Amino acid sequence: MSDVDLGPKSGALLFNSLKDKNSIILAANPRIALVSKGIFQAARDMDAALIVELARSECDLKGGYTGLNPAEFSRRTNETAREVGFDIWALHADHIGIKKGTPEDIEGTKELVSGQIDAGFTSFAIDASHLFNFQGGDLREELADNINATTEVGRHIEEKMAGRGYGLEVEVGEIGREDESGRVLTSPEEGVTFITALNENGIKPHVLAIANGSAHGNTYDAEGNLIEQVSIDIPRTMAVAKALRDHNLDVRIAQHGITGTPRDLIHNYFPHGDVVKGNVATFYQNMVWDLFKVYEPELYSDIWNWTLETYSEQGKGKSDNEVFGKFSKMAIKQFFDRIYGVGEDTKQAIDALAYAETLVFLKAFNAGGTAQIVRDSMK
């Protein structure tokens, strides 16, 4: 494959090539980058288009909670793609979160995006879903702050990419937000109103992340036991996708918060094609921690103790398991050198398990052969 370009492809290329192909692109989050090789090997062997991503909280200009800044994350991921020899993948900046919407917040976001573009990112997810006006008179007023912030950052991306292709994801409805009735879901009207307004402002997203019953990270029962996540509202997801199509809006759905969702449910019931991007993040972190229990017990014990000690206040009233599950991600930067310095046998086990688990996700996503569809569309 010496004559093949193994660098990241435009997210737009992947989204446009696969938007109605009855498959979902795996968007894998290697917040512990040791899992990347196994993920790339599985994508190569199934010839499945791949998105590799980290969120702003994980990977900002100061390294986020993973210790990886955009340049370092890009370097490592490109290196893995070359080592494995896989060509159809995009480098995605997930959850470029805008929490306040103040001028300072927007400027800081633009600065991050510029750093991501300089580092070679080819796809971007603007997340201003927290900016929601609960006192708004109608949907357009309720979404106005999200629309304005997304527009401003979207225009900055367009300007900085200077004619190069890129993928664009936007978000309406805060993932995992709850009110007195439970999880708040995005309505079809909300999706249509949001995308229509962005299109009017010249912002043309490829995918829309919606609140459809999922939550980020691990899911626990009342006793603090880790449980499967079966809360994703599939009919609502399909209704939002249909409304977007009915209004001639060329946007598909990005499914966030897949960790814990049974993969047979994804395989048999998810609306592949309506959902074109599926995010898998905490799953891979959990996998590494489970391996460390056996392969690196002393390191695992130190990470466990540090997490419980550091987050005992935030986790008050929760089981130790739940506190660890929710906050151990913050230990990645804290134990960076020890995590990346584990023995070769540990790394081989991570490679093998990440490979096997990713094969199962790609099968559930019906993603086999999608890389060739993308290659064909490039001709």
Side-chain angles (χ1 to χ4, degrees):
M1 295 192 72
S2 57
D3 57 339
V4 174
D5 173 16
L6 299 177
K9 306 301 179 287
S10 159
L13 174 67
L14 273 65
F15 294 135
N16 289 333
S17 303
L18 299 172
K19 64 187 175 191
D20 292 315
K21 299 296 190 226
N22 194 35
S23 63
I24 299 170
I25 306 165
L26 171 62
N29 174 314
R31 64 176 69 138
I32 301 172
L34 296 173
V35 302
S36 295
K37 186 177 176 183
I39 292 168
F40 267 94
Q41 287 173 324
R44 178 198 63 199
D45 290 356
M46 283 191 70
D47 204 33
L50 176 68
I51 292 169
V52 186
E53 63 182 26
L54 286 180
R56 179 178 193 162
S57 57
E58 297 164 323
C59 175
D60 60 18
L61 296 175
K62 294 178 179 174
Y65 67 69
T66 67
L68 300 170
N69 62 30
E72 180 62 14
F73 177 52
S74 176
R75 185 191 69 75
R76 285 174 182 256
T77 310
N78 274 280
E79 205 171 81
T80 303
R82 287 193 298 272
E83 181 186 354
V84 170
F86 185 63
D87 58 330
I88 302 300
W89 63 283
L91 189 62
H92 184 76
D94 194 36
H95 282 297
I96 304 171
I98 304 167
K99 300 286 178 74
K100 298 174 185 169
T102 59
E104 296 77 19
D105 191 13
I106 298 289
E107 283 311 307
T109 304
K110 288 179 180 177
E111 196 179 325
L112 170 62
V113 165
S114 295
Q116 291 166 336
I117 291 170
D118 290 345
F121 280 65
T122 60
S123 195
F124 307 87
I126 305 169
D127 176 11
S129 61
H130 295 80
L131 305 180
F132 189 87
N133 177 10
F134 291 94
Q135 280 71 51
D138 60 18
L139 265 179
R140 188 72 177 246
E141 287 178 17
E142 289 175 343
L143 294 170
D145 291 344
N146 186 347
I147 292 163
N148 293 339
T150 301
T151 297
E152 191 167 346
V153 175
R155 287 174 176 163
H156 180 74
I157 294 171
E158 177 71 17
E159 180 189 333
K160 285 287 179 184
M161 288 299 285
R164 287 168 290 163
Y166 61 92
L168 185 62
E169 176 180 342
V170 294
E171 188 159 332
V172 67
E174 188 183 334
I175 308 295
R177 186 165 69 81
E178 299 186 355
D179 62 13
E180 61 281 355
S181 309
R183 296 257 166 91
V184 178
L185 303 182
T186 300
S187 68
E189 298 76 20
E190 204 175 345
V192 168
T193 300
F194 184 57
I195 296 298
T196 300
L198 290 176
N199 283 181
E200 287 169 1
N201 291 347
I203 305 300
K204 302 287 178 69
H206 303 95
V207 286
L208 172 67
I210 61 172
N212 64 351
S214 70
H216 292 120
N218 296 315
T219 305
Y220 296 87
D221 65 14
E223 281 74 51
N225 300 307
L226 187 64
I227 56 171
E228 289 185 332
Q229 175 174 252
V230 290
S231 56
I232 292 172
D233 191 323
I234 292 170
R236 174 61 65 94
T237 306
M238 294 168 73
V240 174
K242 182 178 186 303
L244 292 167
R245 278 199 308 274
D246 288 349
H247 286 80
N248 295 315
L249 298 168
D250 196 19
V251 177
R252 302 298 179 268
I253 304 298
Q255 179 64 58
H256 287 217
I258 284 177
T259 292
T261 305
R263 285 175 287 191
D264 59 323
L265 186 151
I266 297 170
H267 184 258
N268 296 324
Y269 298 107
F270 264 39
H272 300 66
D274 281 350
V275 174
V276 76
K277 175 177 184 271
N279 290 14
V280 180
T282 304
F283 177 94
Y284 287 110
Q285 171 194 293
N286 294 346
M287 189 197 82
V288 173
W289 293 159
D290 284 345
L291 276 174
F292 279 7
K293 289 177 189 176
V294 177
Y295 280 79
E296 305 286 341
E298 187 181 329
L299 174 55
Y300 179 80
S301 176
D302 289 348
I303 290 171
W304 172 276
N305 291 332
W306 179 87
T307 301
L308 295 191
E309 286 165 16
T310 308
Y311 292 95
S312 57
E313 202 54 42
Q314 283 109 307
K316 197 167 271 183
K318 293 182 166 62
S319 71
D320 287 355
N321 270 337
E322 186 168 355
V323 175
F324 184 77
K326 288 190 180 301
F327 296 106
S328 59
K329 62 187 183 182
M330 308 308 290
I332 298 169
K333 190 175 192 173
Q334 186 73 19
F335 291 86
F336 189 92
D337 290 342
R338 289 178 67 190
I339 288 170
Y340 286 96
V342 293
E344 281 307 310
D345 59 338
T346 307
K347 290 178 181 174
Q348 285 172 2
I350 292 171
D351 287 347
L353 199 51
Y355 175 80
E357 296 287 12
T358 303
L359 287 180
V360 182
F361 275 113
L362 293 173
K363 182 68 174 176
F365 285 11
N366 196 27
T370 51
Q372 190 56 49
I373 296 172
V374 177
R375 286 186 206 102
D376 290 344
S377 73
M378 294 166 67
K379 291 174 182 171

